[in-house]
Amino acid sequence: MGRVRLEAITWDRLGDTLAERLLDLKPADGSPWPRIAFDGAPAARPGDLARRVSEALRIRGRSSLVVGTEGFLRPASVRLEYGHRDVESYYSGWYDTHALWREVFGPLDAGGDGRVLPDLWDPDADRATRSPYVQLPPGGVLLLHGPFLLRHWFPFDLSVHVLLSPGALRRRTPEAEHWTLPAFERYEQETDPAGTADVLVRADDPRHPAWGG
């Protein structure tokens, strides 16, 4: 954190600033679809920022698609094989990364067709969502949000990490989900998302974020 200078900002201004940055972003692999990560624990609500950026892009005439990794959870029989509170499973096995590669990133490769599946599995009903594919036009932006995104070598063109301090993460995580906290500590140690993301957003005070990047 010492090497990142953070500045106070409002959520509205942050959404606008990121949207403006994305307008000129060209994927390094020649794909016509920029792919953006909004990485963070559920308590950090990275999806809120992704949706804010999506709205800012819409106002600027740019298409985007917000996808949450919670729509790509594995079936309960696989996800909970080792119990409902197994930290290793939560960290390494809850999210269907193969499906994300196949249904989200593959279609947005340089030679892809832009047809993205926005979600695959309903964890509450524990069944396939049967959602239709979405055609993302050339120039459309993928805004993928969820936890642990920066440890999978996904081909992001820009990464945003929404950071909570350990104390804020504990306070804002429901008590029934405190068993997940060691997974986020491990993620910080192994991946250093605050140091590796292109944009860092500190959200300890949900009303007054700060950012750098």
Side-chain angles (χ1 to χ4, degrees):
M1 286 296 297
R3 63 185 182 275
V4 179
R5 182 173 180 269
L6 299 180
E7 299 179 358
I9 196 170
T10 66
W11 287 111
D12 284 341
R13 185 178 166 210
L14 179 58
D16 288 338
T17 300
L18 289 174
E20 288 289 339
R21 182 167 177 176
L22 298 182
L23 292 178
D24 296 323
L25 182 63
K26 304 297 184 185
D29 65 356
S31 167
W33 301 284
R35 296 145 297 193
I36 316 304
F38 290 84
D39 177 61
R45 303 185 69 84
D48 288 356
L49 181 55
R51 286 183 284 271
R52 192 180 296 271
V53 172
S54 178
E55 176 60 17
L57 286 169
R58 185 192 66 79
I59 292 171
R60 290 161 173 80
R62 179 65 65 86
S63 297
S64 65
L65 177 64
V66 178
V67 175
T69 58
E70 72 273 9
F72 287 84
L73 285 168
R74 289 192 167 101
S77 60
V78 177
R79 195 170 72 245
L80 307 177
E81 180 181 2
Y82 299 101
H84 287 255
R85 297 189 173 192
D86 186 83
V87 176
E88 176 62 35
S89 293
Y90 178 66
Y91 185 63
S92 301
W94 272 39
Y95 296 94
D96 193 341
T97 55
H98 293 294
L100 282 165
W101 277 105
R102 182 182 69 248
E103 304 291 357
V104 177
F105 289 104
L108 303 182
D109 283 343
D113 61 9
R115 292 181 70 250
V116 176
L117 189 65
D119 52 61
L120 179 65
W121 198 259
D122 180 344
D124 294 326
D126 197 32
R127 65 185 181 190
T129 58
R130 304 186 186 280
S131 295
Y133 283 86
V134 175
Q135 184 70 53
L136 194 61
V141 184
L142 170 70
L143 308 171
L144 180 69
H145 64 86
F148 315 131
L149 289 180
L150 304 185
R151 62 180 295 264
H152 297 297
W153 300 100
F154 290 140
F156 294 118
D157 300 297
L158 186 81
S159 57
V160 180
H161 177 63
V162 185
L163 174 69
L164 294 177
S165 67
L169 178 60
R170 176 170 287 274
R171 288 193 303 273
R172 292 170 59 183
T173 298
E175 186 173 353
E177 298 173 12
H178 277 188
W179 66 271
T180 65
L181 296 179
F184 295 105
E185 181 179 354
R186 178 178 171 185
Y187 182 54
E188 294 287 338
Q189 293 171 350
E190 293 184 352
T191 307
D192 185 24
T196 58
D198 299 303
V199 175
L200 178 64
V201 179
R202 184 146 201 169
D204 284 7
D205 184 342
R207 299 166 300 175
H208 304 292
W211 83 298

